[in-house]
Each structure stands twice: as structure tokens, then as C-alpha cells.
Amino acid sequence: MLSNKTIVLGVTGGIAAYKAAELASQLTQAGAAVSVIMTREAVQFVSPVTFRALTGRPVVTEMFDLASEFSIEHVSLARAADVVVVAPATANIIAKLAAGMADDMLCCTVLATKAPVVIAPAMETNMYENQVTQDNLSELKSRDFVVIGPAAGWLASGREGLGRLADVSDILGSIRRVLGRDGDLAGKHIVVTAGGTREPVDPVRYISNRSSGKMGYALAEAARDRGAKVSLITAPVCLNAPVGAEVIRVGTALEMRQAVENLAPRTDALVMAAAVADYRPRSAAGQKIKKGDAPLTLELEGIPDILGTVKGEFVKVGFAAESSNVIENATDKLKQKGLDLIVANDITASDSGFGTDTNQVTIIDKDGGVDSLPLLTKHEVAERILDRVAQLLAARES
Ligand code: CTP
């Protein structure tokens, strides 16, 4: 979604300015045209040459730099921008933007643009927590600026606290979310489940499965990028939570079921990408089970099916992880669980299913339509599934 977008990246004078180089690089790699505006102070921290090399485009450092492509008509960048991002944003630029000042190129651009503006504050904790900075940020938020971060952690002052620039991946997520906010899922509440549930055996051990959560997280990100309000109900996984999604962390299948049911009255579409346990130990031991010579038998009991039992008129999408008779088994599941769509994948293929970044799936609908997709990244698969969800939601409204 970033390809062919024009992004103005304002870099101001804080130690986190070096991280803006990574942001500029990632935006450029994603296909965006990135025009960097540096304040006079920012140039003390990072050379404009760095941004010039990373973006392949001129870098604006002076308001009246006649060599710069943009200097003559100083609002041209403001007009061209699909989004303006200020990262890092110091207390000083935040104050200037809140006051509507126009004494440098970045302030002029922000003042002149009609594009959305994303601000990523980074500063020393006391400066951030100072009431005047908080008031300025509130003022910007009330004018529809999107503020991402700051994060907590190690600061250049040698202390720990709030004030670190948000992770570059989170700033990217914020930009994507802003760009997609009028997308085809705007106003819809999409609930996605992800990861493999964990069913406790004792305080140390659990029964789980090999789900990495990647498919569910890709779905949550893609739905967010198309304007949806996203709730991600996730079992434990090693992935960063998508910015802007409501994240509900659960452990067991029963906790996941409760979370799905809690959201059901507000759900427009439920996409169950989670690998939910079908069985759990009948009783989890209160103490760690000690090893002994005798074989150990665990008695398992069945877990109610979430998708098959959740009540509500929303669109229901399931996944079918199959190792044989993929289409037949998936079609049976679609019927048994009363689904609108089921996404079938053959988990025996080495480049599909658990843990991989790619997936080869077949989308089956309740009218018998069978759409076999080629091998795609999980993000591409997510987009294709959401194309179908968007169509189903639109059909319900018409
Ligand atoms: N599912 C669920 N609740 C469960 C088990 C599965 O909601 N207790 C959902 C999964 O999230 C998935 C779909 O049902 O979207 C199919 O899951 P899958 O594991 O492929 O199939 P099962 O129905 O569990 O059947 P089986 O394990 O026998 O293949």
C-alpha cells in the first residue's frame, strides 16, 4: 500500500534522528517516494547525504535554499504529500506546530498540507511529561494529528523512562493505518484470532501446536490497513502486535472462546486463523509433575468448537489445516460450522502452513465456489481473504 505514495518525512534535532534513516529506508524499499525535510538542528545529528542516498531524492534543509527543487514554491511538498511524518519530533517542533508557526520549511509544510500528519515524539522524560508538552500534543491530537509513541526504555540521558522514539515498525504501521483509513473496510469491526492455544498440564508444561500466528497477524494488519477497527485475539506468539489494533492476549482455548463471545455483539466479521486446541488435560496438576519410572497417562477432554458455536449474524471465516483430502475436509468443516468462507491449506507442503512466510490456500465459499490461489506471502493471502470479506459485507448492506 505504500507504493507510489508520496511521503514527506520531517526530521528534527534529537538523538533519535539516526533512526529516521531506517524509517526513510524502509519506506523507500516499500515503494514510497520519500522527501525528507530536515530542521537546522537535525543536520547536527545526521547528514542530509544519508537521507539523499537512502531515498534517492533531494533533501530540504533550508527554507531559502535555491539549489533545492522545492525551495521556490515552498508549499509544493505539502501539496504532493499523501502523508507527512515527523520523526523524531522534538518538544520544540511539537510546540511550534501546536502554535501554528511557520518559520522553517517543516513547519510551513505541515501548516500548508491537507494530508494527514503523523508525529513520533522523542525527548527526555521530563520534557515529555511537562504539562506544556502534553497540552501541545493534546492540541495536535484535537486537530487530527496522529501521535505514535513515545516508547519507554533507555534514553540518551542515561536514564530509563518514557521518551524513546517509537519502534520504526510501529511508525510504519501508523503510516499504513493513516493511509488506509478510508479503505473498503472502514467502519467495520473485524475480529481476528491468531496463534496456537496452550492447554496447561501442570504449572510448567502445556499442550500446544506449531502455529506461529503469522497468518492471523498478517490478517489483522491488512484489515487495519483497509480502514477496519481490528480486534486481535492472540494466543502467545513471538510477533509484534500491529499498531492500532486492539490486542487481547489469551492462553487457553476457553479464554479465546470467552474473548470471541465478548466481542460477538460488536463484530462484523470473525476470521478464526488461530489453531485452537481440540482437547485439553482433564485437570491440570497444581504442582509440577515429577518424573518416575511408571509411564504417565494424560487424560484429555474435548474443547467446544469456538467457530461452530459462537452466536451472531456476522461473517464467519474459518481455516482448515489439512494433511489429506484438503478440499473435501475443508468443505465439510465449512458446512458443519455454518461458515461463509473457509481457507483450506495443505500443511504437509513445505512452503505452506505452520511457521512459513508463504501460504498456498484454497478459499471455499458456502455456495460451493472454490478459488485455488497460487503460492503467496501470508500478507498477500490476507489481502485476498479480505477482498472476499469486503465483498460479503458489501453484499449484506445492499
Ligand atoms: N476452531 C475453533 N474451535 C476449536 C477448534 C477449531 O473455532 N476448538 C476453528 C479454527 O480456528 C479454524 C477452524 O475451526 O478456523 C478449523 O480448525 P481445524 O483445526 O482445521 O479443524 P477442527 O475443526 O479442529 O477439526 P480437525 O482437527 O478434526 O481437523
Side-chain angles (χ1 to χ4, degrees), residues 297-345:
T297 303
L298 283 176
E299 194 182 352
L300 304 180
E301 65 180 8
I303 298 176
D305 194 277
I306 302 173
L307 252 182
T309 56
V310 65
K311 299 212 172 2
E313 289 310 302
F314 42 83
V315 169
K316 292 182 188 133
V317 183
F319 276 73
E322 304 295 343
S323 53
S324 62
N325 301 328
V326 177
I327 306 294
E328 296 88 314
N329 287 343
T331 307
D332 285 349
K333 280 181 191 169
L334 173 124
K335 288 183 184 148
Q336 273 163 21
K337 300 182 192 222
L339 308 181
D340 295 279
L341 297 174
I342 195 150
V343 183
N345 66 338

Coordinates of all heavy atoms in Angstrom, one line a residue, residues 297-345:
T297 N 0.1 -41.2 32.0 CA -1.0 -41.1 31.1 C -1.7 -39.8 31.4 O -2.0 -39.5 32.5 CB -2.0 -42.3 31.3 OG1 -1.3 -43.5 31.1 CG2 -3.2 -42.2 30.3
L298 N -1.9 -39.0 30.3 CA -2.7 -37.8 30.5 C -4.1 -38.0 30.0 O -4.3 -38.5 28.8 CB -2.1 -36.6 29.7 CG -0.9 -36.0 30.2 CD1 -0.4 -34.9 29.1 CD2 -1.1 -35.3 31.5
E299 N -5.1 -37.7 30.7 CA -6.5 -37.9 30.2 C -6.9 -36.6 29.6 O -6.8 -35.5 30.3 CB -7.4 -38.3 31.4 CG -8.7 -38.8 30.8 CD -9.7 -39.2 31.9 OE1 -9.3 -39.2 33.1 OE2 -10.9 -39.5 31.6
L300 N -7.4 -36.6 28.4 CA -7.8 -35.4 27.7 C -9.3 -35.3 27.5 O -9.9 -36.3 27.3 CB -7.1 -35.3 26.3 CG -5.6 -35.4 26.3 CD1 -5.1 -35.3 24.9 CD2 -4.9 -34.3 27.1
E301 N -9.8 -34.1 27.6 CA -11.2 -33.9 27.3 C -11.4 -33.0 26.2 O -10.6 -32.1 25.9 CB -12.0 -33.4 28.6 CG -11.5 -32.1 29.0 CD -12.3 -31.6 30.3 OE1 -13.0 -32.4 30.9 OE2 -12.1 -30.4 30.6
G302 N -12.5 -33.1 25.5 CA -12.8 -32.3 24.3 C -13.0 -30.8 24.7 O -13.5 -30.5 25.8
I303 N -12.7 -29.9 23.8 CA -13.0 -28.5 24.0 C -14.1 -28.1 23.0 O -14.0 -28.4 21.8 CB -11.7 -27.7 23.7 CG1 -10.6 -28.1 24.7 CG2 -12.0 -26.2 23.8 CD1 -9.3 -27.4 24.5
P304 N -15.1 -27.3 23.4 CA -16.1 -26.9 22.4 C -15.5 -26.1 21.3 O -14.6 -25.3 21.5 CB -17.0 -26.0 23.3 CG -16.6 -26.2 24.7 CD -15.3 -26.8 24.7
D305 N -16.1 -26.3 20.1 CA -15.6 -25.6 18.9 C -16.1 -24.1 19.0 O -17.2 -23.8 19.2 CB -16.2 -26.2 17.7 CG -15.4 -25.8 16.4 OD1 -15.8 -24.7 15.9 OD2 -14.5 -26.5 16.0
I306 N -15.1 -23.2 18.9 CA -15.5 -21.7 19.0 C -16.3 -21.3 17.8 O -17.4 -20.8 18.0 CB -14.2 -20.9 19.1 CG1 -13.4 -21.3 20.3 CG2 -14.6 -19.4 19.2 CD1 -12.0 -20.6 20.4
L307 N -15.8 -21.5 16.6 CA -16.5 -21.1 15.4 C -17.8 -21.7 15.2 O -18.8 -21.1 14.8 CB -15.6 -21.5 14.2 CG -14.9 -20.4 13.4 CD1 -14.2 -21.1 12.2 CD2 -15.8 -19.3 12.9
G308 N -17.9 -23.0 15.6 CA -19.1 -23.8 15.4 C -20.2 -23.4 16.3 O -21.4 -23.7 16.1
T309 N -19.8 -22.7 17.4 CA -20.9 -22.5 18.5 C -21.1 -21.0 18.7 O -22.1 -20.7 19.4 CB -20.4 -23.1 19.8 OG1 -19.1 -22.6 20.2 CG2 -20.4 -24.7 19.7
V310 N -20.2 -20.1 18.3 CA -20.4 -18.7 18.6 C -21.7 -18.2 17.9 O -21.9 -18.5 16.7 CB -19.2 -17.8 18.2 CG1 -18.9 -17.8 16.7 CG2 -19.3 -16.4 18.7
K311 N -22.4 -17.4 18.6 CA -23.7 -16.9 18.0 C -23.6 -15.5 17.5 O -22.9 -14.6 18.1 CB -24.8 -16.9 19.1 CG -25.1 -18.3 19.6 CD -26.5 -18.6 20.0 CE -26.8 -20.0 20.3 NZ -25.7 -21.0 20.3
G312 N -24.2 -15.2 16.4 CA -24.1 -13.8 15.8 C -24.3 -13.9 14.3 O -24.1 -14.9 13.7
E313 N -24.7 -12.7 13.8 CA -25.1 -12.7 12.4 C -23.9 -12.2 11.5 O -24.0 -11.9 10.4 CB -26.2 -11.7 12.2 CG -27.6 -12.2 12.7 CD -27.9 -13.6 12.2 OE1 -27.9 -13.8 10.9 OE2 -28.0 -14.5 13.0
F314 N -22.7 -12.2 12.1 CA -21.5 -11.6 11.4 C -21.0 -12.7 10.4 O -21.3 -13.8 10.4 CB -20.4 -11.2 12.4 CG -20.2 -12.2 13.5 CD1 -19.4 -13.3 13.3 CD2 -20.8 -12.0 14.7 CE1 -19.3 -14.2 14.4 CE2 -20.7 -12.9 15.8 CZ -19.9 -14.0 15.6
V315 N -20.1 -12.2 9.5 CA -19.4 -13.0 8.5 C -18.5 -13.9 9.3 O -17.7 -13.4 10.1 CB -18.7 -12.1 7.5 CG1 -17.7 -13.0 6.6 CG2 -19.7 -11.4 6.6
K316 N -18.5 -15.2 9.0 CA -17.6 -16.1 9.7 C -16.7 -16.8 8.7 O -17.1 -17.4 7.7 CB -18.4 -17.2 10.4 CG -19.3 -16.7 11.5 CD -20.0 -17.8 12.2 CE -21.0 -17.2 13.2 NZ -22.3 -17.7 13.2
V317 N -15.4 -16.7 9.0 CA -14.3 -17.2 8.1 C -13.5 -18.2 9.0 O -13.0 -17.8 10.0 CB -13.4 -16.1 7.5 CG1 -12.4 -16.8 6.6 CG2 -14.3 -15.1 6.8
G318 N -13.4 -19.4 8.5 CA -12.5 -20.4 9.2 C -11.3 -20.8 8.4 O -11.3 -20.5 7.2
F319 N -10.4 -21.4 9.0 CA -9.3 -22.0 8.3 C -9.4 -23.5 8.5 O -9.9 -24.0 9.5 CB -7.9 -21.5 8.9 CG -7.5 -20.2 8.4 CD1 -8.2 -19.0 8.7 CD2 -6.5 -20.1 7.5 CE1 -7.8 -17.8 8.2 CE2 -6.1 -18.9 6.9 CZ -6.7 -17.8 7.3
A320 N -8.9 -24.2 7.5 CA -8.9 -25.7 7.6 C -7.4 -26.2 7.4 O -6.9 -26.1 6.3 CB -9.8 -26.3 6.6
A321 N -6.8 -26.6 8.5 CA -5.4 -27.1 8.3 C -5.6 -28.6 8.1 O -6.0 -29.3 8.9 CB -4.7 -26.9 9.6
E322 N -5.2 -29.0 6.9 CA -5.5 -30.4 6.5 C -4.2 -31.1 6.0 O -3.3 -30.4 5.4 CB -6.5 -30.5 5.4 CG -7.8 -29.8 5.7 CD -8.6 -30.5 6.8 OE1 -8.3 -31.7 7.2 OE2 -9.5 -29.9 7.4
S323 N -4.1 -32.4 6.3 CA -2.9 -33.1 5.7 C -3.3 -34.1 4.7 O -2.5 -34.8 4.1 CB -2.2 -33.8 6.9 OG -3.0 -34.6 7.6
S324 N -4.7 -34.2 4.4 CA -5.1 -35.1 3.3 C -6.5 -34.7 2.9 O -7.2 -34.0 3.7 CB -5.2 -36.6 3.8 OG -6.1 -36.7 4.9
N325 N -7.0 -35.0 1.7 CA -8.3 -34.7 1.2 C -8.7 -33.3 1.6 O -9.8 -33.0 2.1 CB -9.4 -35.6 1.8 CG -9.1 -37.1 1.4 OD1 -8.5 -37.4 0.4 ND2 -9.4 -38.0 2.3
V326 N -7.8 -32.3 1.2 CA -7.9 -31.0 1.7 C -9.3 -30.3 1.4 O -10.0 -29.8 2.3 CB -6.8 -30.1 1.1 CG1 -6.9 -28.7 1.5 CG2 -5.4 -30.7 1.5
I327 N -9.7 -30.4 0.1 CA -10.9 -29.7 -0.3 C -12.2 -30.3 0.4 O -13.0 -29.6 0.9 CB -11.1 -29.6 -1.8 CG1 -9.8 -29.0 -2.5 CG2 -12.3 -28.9 -2.3 CD1 -9.5 -27.6 -2.2
E328 N -12.2 -31.6 0.3 CA -13.4 -32.3 0.9 C -13.5 -32.1 2.4 O -14.5 -31.7 2.9 CB -13.3 -33.9 0.7 CG -13.3 -34.3 -0.7 CD -11.9 -34.4 -1.3 OE1 -11.1 -33.4 -1.2 OE2 -11.5 -35.3 -2.0
N329 N -12.4 -32.2 3.1 CA -12.4 -32.0 4.6 C -12.8 -30.5 4.9 O -13.6 -30.3 5.8 CB -11.1 -32.3 5.2 CG -10.8 -33.8 5.2 OD1 -11.7 -34.6 5.1 ND2 -9.6 -34.2 5.4
A330 N -12.2 -29.6 4.1 CA -12.5 -28.2 4.4 C -14.0 -27.9 4.1 O -14.6 -27.2 4.9 CB -11.6 -27.3 3.5
T331 N -14.5 -28.4 3.0 CA -15.9 -28.2 2.7 C -16.8 -28.7 3.8 O -17.8 -28.1 4.2 CB -16.3 -28.8 1.3 OG1 -15.3 -28.4 0.4 CG2 -17.7 -28.5 0.9
D332 N -16.5 -29.9 4.3 CA -17.3 -30.5 5.4 C -17.2 -29.5 6.6 O -18.3 -29.3 7.3 CB -16.7 -31.8 5.9 CG -17.0 -32.9 4.9 OD1 -17.9 -32.7 4.0 OD2 -16.4 -34.0 5.0
K333 N -16.0 -29.0 6.9 CA -15.9 -28.1 8.1 C -16.8 -26.8 7.9 O -17.4 -26.3 8.8 CB -14.5 -27.7 8.3 CG -13.7 -28.7 9.0 CD -12.2 -28.3 9.2 CE -11.4 -29.5 9.7 NZ -10.0 -29.2 9.7
L334 N -16.7 -26.3 6.6 CA -17.5 -25.1 6.3 C -19.0 -25.3 6.6 O -19.6 -24.5 7.2 CB -17.3 -24.7 4.8 CG -18.1 -23.6 4.3 CD1 -17.2 -22.5 3.7 CD2 -19.1 -24.1 3.2
K335 N -19.5 -26.5 6.2 CA -20.9 -26.8 6.4 C -21.2 -27.0 7.9 O -22.1 -26.5 8.4 CB -21.3 -28.0 5.6 CG -21.3 -27.7 4.1 CD -21.8 -28.9 3.3 CE -21.7 -28.6 1.8 NZ -21.4 -29.8 1.0
Q336 N -20.3 -27.9 8.5 CA -20.6 -28.2 9.9 C -20.6 -26.9 10.8 O -21.4 -26.8 11.7 CB -19.5 -29.1 10.5 CG -19.7 -30.6 10.3 CD -18.4 -31.3 10.4 OE1 -17.4 -30.8 11.0 NE2 -18.4 -32.5 9.8
K337 N -19.7 -26.0 10.5 CA -19.5 -24.8 11.4 C -20.4 -23.6 10.9 O -20.4 -22.6 11.5 CB -18.1 -24.4 11.5 CG -17.2 -25.5 12.1 CD -15.7 -25.2 12.2 CE -14.9 -26.4 12.5 NZ -13.9 -26.2 13.5
G338 N -21.1 -23.8 9.8 CA -22.0 -22.7 9.3 C -21.2 -21.5 8.9 O -21.6 -20.4 9.3
L339 N -20.2 -21.7 8.1 CA -19.3 -20.6 7.8 C -19.7 -19.9 6.4 O -20.3 -20.6 5.6 CB -17.8 -21.0 7.7 CG -17.3 -21.8 8.9 CD1 -15.9 -22.2 8.7 CD2 -17.5 -20.9 10.2
D340 N -19.2 -18.7 6.2 CA -19.3 -18.1 4.9 C -18.2 -18.5 4.0 O -18.3 -18.6 2.8 CB -19.3 -16.5 5.1 CG -20.5 -16.1 5.8 OD1 -21.6 -16.0 5.3 OD2 -20.4 -15.9 7.1
L341 N -17.0 -18.6 4.6 CA -15.8 -18.9 3.8 C -14.9 -19.8 4.7 O -14.9 -19.7 5.9 CB -14.9 -17.7 3.5 CG -15.5 -16.5 2.7 CD1 -14.5 -15.4 2.7 CD2 -15.7 -17.0 1.3
I342 N -14.2 -20.7 4.0 CA -13.2 -21.5 4.7 C -11.9 -21.4 3.9 O -11.9 -21.5 2.6 CB -13.6 -22.9 5.1 CG1 -12.6 -23.5 6.1 CG2 -13.6 -23.8 3.9 CD1 -13.2 -24.5 7.1
V343 N -10.8 -21.2 4.5 CA -9.5 -21.1 3.9 C -8.7 -22.4 4.1 O -8.4 -22.7 5.3 CB -8.7 -19.9 4.4 CG1 -7.4 -19.7 3.6 CG2 -9.6 -18.6 4.3
A344 N -8.6 -23.2 3.1 CA -8.0 -24.5 3.3 C -6.5 -24.5 2.9 O -6.1 -23.9 1.9 CB -8.7 -25.5 2.4
N345 N -5.7 -25.1 3.8 CA -4.3 -25.3 3.4 C -3.8 -26.7 3.7 O -4.2 -27.3 4.7 CB -3.4 -24.2 3.8 CG -3.2 -24.1 5.3 OD1 -4.1 -24.6 6.0 ND2 -2.1 -23.5 5.7

